[in-house]
Amino acid sequence: MAPAPFAATTAPHIGGRRKLLTDQSKNSIAAAENYVPDVRHSRLGAEFYDPVKPADFPRLDLRFRNDRAAAEIGLEGLSNDEWLSHFGRFEALPDNLPTPLALRYHGHQFRVYNPDLGDGRGFLFAQMRDRSGRLMDLGTKGSGTTPWSRSGDGRLTLKGGVREVLATEMLEALGVNTSRSLSLIETGESLVRGDEPSPTRSSVLVRLNHSHVRIGTFQRFLFLEDHENLRRLLDYSIAEYWPDATGPADFLSRVVGAVARLGAQWFAAGFVHGVLNTDNITITGESFDYGPWRFLPVLDPNFTAAYFDHQGLYAFGRQPDALYWNLARLGECLIPLSDVSELQPVLETFPARFDEALSVVTLGRLGLKRAEGDPERDHRLVSLFYGALRQSKAGFERAFIDMTGGAMETRLSKSPLADLYTGDVWQAAIAALREREPVEGVREAVESSSFPAEPQTMLVEEVEEIWRGIAEDDDWTAFNSKIDAVRAYGRELGRTRPPKVKC
Ligand code: AMP
Ligand code: MG
């Protein structure tokens, strides 16, 4: 059967807020001034996606609704029933995509090219503007099979969904540029997986992303030698995501900068993504698609998240290299539209931009001022700090909390790691931290009673414990209270970060 004819039926609304007054808006979205649908992806043409049908799930139990994220796109007023119909049954949102679209892409997986990828268990469900006018996607995970499912069932395990929610909440608290989990609904099916005790419970997740255009989306058209659509994709990516970019090389430069910054944010958050394939990297440098992720207990460059990453290709310390390699693949895709002699030097700015971003985000997390006009000095301080963190095996998040505002004696002596900090390994780093002035207001924030005395962590043992409660007793208390605690932590950390520094 031919797929349902697809077209965005209503003209997209650009700029300005408006109230939805159409007949379509029979639910509370009608009252939402901040809901600004703006379907753009479908204009790229039929070569970019396949219209698909969502799965018909036997049961829908709402497990997580993210009203904080929903408020940014005007959807926080939905009743729970409306929420289930849009994010469990995928009834179209008003003036939005009438049919979900499975997106087409290829990618390098563990450095091997795979032309057999694409949205195999997800689709693009809707596009809209957020409060700051950014084009946002609602994408799914576990919403049913598509032409790209291969032998997969198109489903997401409940544990996988729980893990993605916990990862995104923690990363957001730490100021990392991440997709958000908007909704998690349990779907009442039994799944069989090799990496979870099976049968296991099922779920469907909706995420809020700033773009689903991946490096692999570009790679597909290079592979197909379809330079016309490659050009369309570039034009779309520039117009919607990097409107100031002046051409292919400048576009590459923006992506290199955003991805370098993301790598630095992961570093300063002690985060290991686990699967840095080119289909998991978007051209906005927003982190997404969380499978076997882990946070570091202590700084260890060899720490590897995915059990199937036998060579440690995507280990913590190799993430910057993995990103650099992926960006080279994006650069290749731009050769037919530009010139390698223009692209190569842009690509090669990555290491310096990663180092610079690492200084910015690390000093930002520590609430310390930069050394004006002396990036080398910042780089030395940051290296000393991470060097001590690695050698001493101090708790990663604990050390950041203890040293925020500049390694004050009064705070270090109260830490459970006090003895470690007085030892040899930390001496040079602590002396250098003390020379550095805190950003205005940080000292007061750190000394106030609300500043966390204890770090919030999201280590694998904690995640397993949260999951145990759900799996054994269907007890969601630990999951919900962890999210509350992480959000409170994020609010406090936000007070010590200089404006504009996210991590
Ligand atoms: P990921 O490793 O999650 O980025 O997925 C890699 C590819 O496998 C993507 O094309 C996914 O859509 C697809 N995929 C992963 N799990 C499933 C599944 N259970 N059913 C169908 N496709 C899947
Ligand atoms: Mg993926």
Side-chain angles (χ1 to χ4, degrees):
M1 201 179 74
F6 174 76
T9 50
T10 40
H13 303 272
I14 309 163
R17 306 287 168 202
R18 95 245 185 277
K19 286 191 196 297
L20 270 176
L21 297 171
T22 62
D23 285 341
Q24 263 183 309
S25 325
K26 291 205 177 67
N27 60 29
S28 48
I29 302 175
E33 271 193 63
N34 288 317
Y35 174 67
V36 183
D38 196 357
V39 176
R40 297 268 159 163
H41 200 92
S42 53
R43 296 182 184 179
L44 281 166
E47 255 305 303
F48 287 74
Y49 46 74
D50 295 88
V52 288
K53 275 208 178 106
D56 187 8
F57 295 114
R59 221 180 66 215
L60 296 177
D61 288 321
L62 182 53
R63 297 304 188 189
F64 174 69
R65 66 173 270 169
N66 187 344
D67 280 320
R68 182 167 70 170
E72 288 174 30
I73 49 171
L75 293 181
E76 76 282 19
L78 291 176
S79 68
N80 278 352
D81 280 349
E82 290 164 348
W83 189 279
L84 289 175
S85 65
H86 291 302
F87 304 134
R89 281 187 289 277
F90 298 100
E91 286 169 17
L93 285 166
D95 292 345
N96 224 302
L97 279 174
T99 311
L101 304 178
L103 304 182
R104 299 180 181 180
Y105 53 82
H106 290 175
H108 277 94
Q109 297 182 301
F110 290 86
R111 306 222 161 154
V112 178
Y113 194 76
N114 186 351
D116 210 11
L117 283 175
D119 277 343
R121 55 167 165 173
F123 49 62
L124 179 67
F125 174 59
Q127 286 190 300
M128 64 271 294
R129 299 281 158 183
D130 71 4
R131 280 173 185 272
S132 56
R134 294 190 311 160
L135 181 61
M136 303 301 291
D137 295 349
L138 292 184
T140 62
K141 193 170 187 179
S143 50
T145 52
T146 76
W148 311 106
S149 300
R150 295 172 285 170
S151 56
D153 59 5
R155 303 301 199 266
L156 172 66
T157 65
L158 182 61
K159 185 178 185 186
V162 161
R163 281 179 49 86
E164 178 140 345
V165 172
L166 294 173
T168 49
E169 287 289 329
M170 190 69 204
L171 289 170
E172 187 178 351
L174 294 173
V176 175
N177 181 18
T178 178
S179 70
R180 261 93 62 77
S181 304
L182 182 78
S183 168
L184 182 67
I185 294 172
E186 185 169 358
T187 49
E189 296 179 321
S190 246
L191 306 179
V192 177
R193 291 288 184 274
D195 53 1
E196 279 186 42
S198 296
T200 188
R201 291 152 74 178
S202 64
S203 69
V204 64
L205 178 97
V206 178
R207 30 163 122 100
L208 179 63
N209 280 46
H210 184 44
S211 180
H212 277 87
V213 176
R214 308 148 192 261
I215 292 179
T217 316
F218 278 86
Q219 287 182 290
R220 180 169 161 270
F221 289 121
L222 183 74
F223 181 87
L224 298 174
E225 296 180 23
D226 181 348
H227 296 174
E228 201 181 311
N229 277 315
L230 194 59
R231 161 61 68 184
R232 278 186 98 131
L233 181 61
L234 176 66
D235 289 347
Y236 174 80
S237 302
I238 291 178
E240 302 300 343
Y241 302 107
W242 297 107
D244 298 331
T246 54
D250 197 28
F251 165 74
L252 180 63
S253 176
R254 312 286 166 141
V255 182
V256 168
V259 170
R261 192 173 177 87
L262 174 64
Q265 290 177 339
W266 285 342
F267 200 104
F271 182 71
V272 193
H273 180 283
V275 191
L276 297 186
N277 295 336
T278 54
D279 57 308
N280 282 344
I281 306 296
T282 62
I283 52 118
T284 55
E286 185 185 72
S287 177
F288 86 119
D289 206 2
Y290 301 103
W293 61 269
R294 288 196 187 189
F295 282 92
L296 296 177
V298 299
L299 205 168
D300 172 7
N302 295 319
F303 187 94
T304 304
Y307 68 90
F308 46 83
D309 185 0
H310 306 293
Q311 320 293 328
L313 183 65
Y314 299 144
F316 179 74
R318 296 178 79 182
Q319 291 187 124
D321 272 345
L323 294 175
Y324 196 12
W325 191 90
N326 287 344
L327 287 164
R329 306 289 76 75
L330 177 63
E332 273 159 18
C333 295
L334 300 174
I335 293 173
L337 310 175
S338 178
D339 193 294
V340 72
S341 64
E342 273 190 57
L343 297 165
Q344 184 66 28
V346 169
L347 176 69
E348 288 176 11
T349 61
F350 178 85
R353 289 164 91 178
F354 175 81
D355 280 353
E356 164 71 9
L358 190 62
S359 291
V360 171
V361 296
T362 306
L363 291 170
R365 277 213 73 183
L366 293 168
L368 298 176
K369 287 191 179 164
R370 301 205 54 195
E372 242 168 80
D374 195 352
E376 264 311 306
R377 220 174 131 227
D378 285 345
H379 187 65
R380 277 198 303 278
L381 173 57
V382 165
S383 302
L384 275 173
F385 175 73
Y386 286 122
L389 204 51
R390 183 165 62 83
Q391 279 182 53
S392 68
K393 299 191 168 57
F396 191 97
E397 193 58 29
R398 156 77 63 193
F400 262 105
I401 289 296
D402 287 344
M403 310 269 168
T404 300
M408 292 168 235
E409 180 54 45
T410 46
R411 298 191 67 247
L412 295 196
S413 58
K414 285 191 208 133
S415 167
L417 301 185
D419 288 348
L420 210 58
Y421 296 145
T422 49
D424 292 345
V425 169
W426 273 98
Q427 285 319 294
I430 286 176
L433 285 164
R434 286 189 177 147
E435 277 174 21
R436 200 55 73 88
E437 219 183 304
V439 171
E440 281 79 27
V442 167
R443 196 175 277 270
E444 294 71 26
V446 164
E447 285 174 343
S448 77
S449 56
S450 65
F451 191 78
E454 290 298 315
Q456 265 301 327
T457 51
M458 194 65 85
L459 303 177
V460 66
E461 298 77 22
E462 300 173 82
V463 174
E464 288 297 318
E465 188 58 23
I466 291 169
W467 173 247
R468 199 189 53 74
I470 297 168
E472 289 179 10
D473 305 314
D474 201 25
D475 182 353
W476 290 78
T477 332
F479 173 77
N480 291 321
S481 44
K482 186 67 175 179
I483 290 169
D484 290 345
V486 163
R487 287 188 175 189
Y489 189 64
R491 278 192 295 278
E492 282 308 317
L493 294 190
R495 292 174 59 209
T496 60
R497 276 195 294 263
K500 295 200 174 156
V501 172
K502 280 202 121 185
C503 186

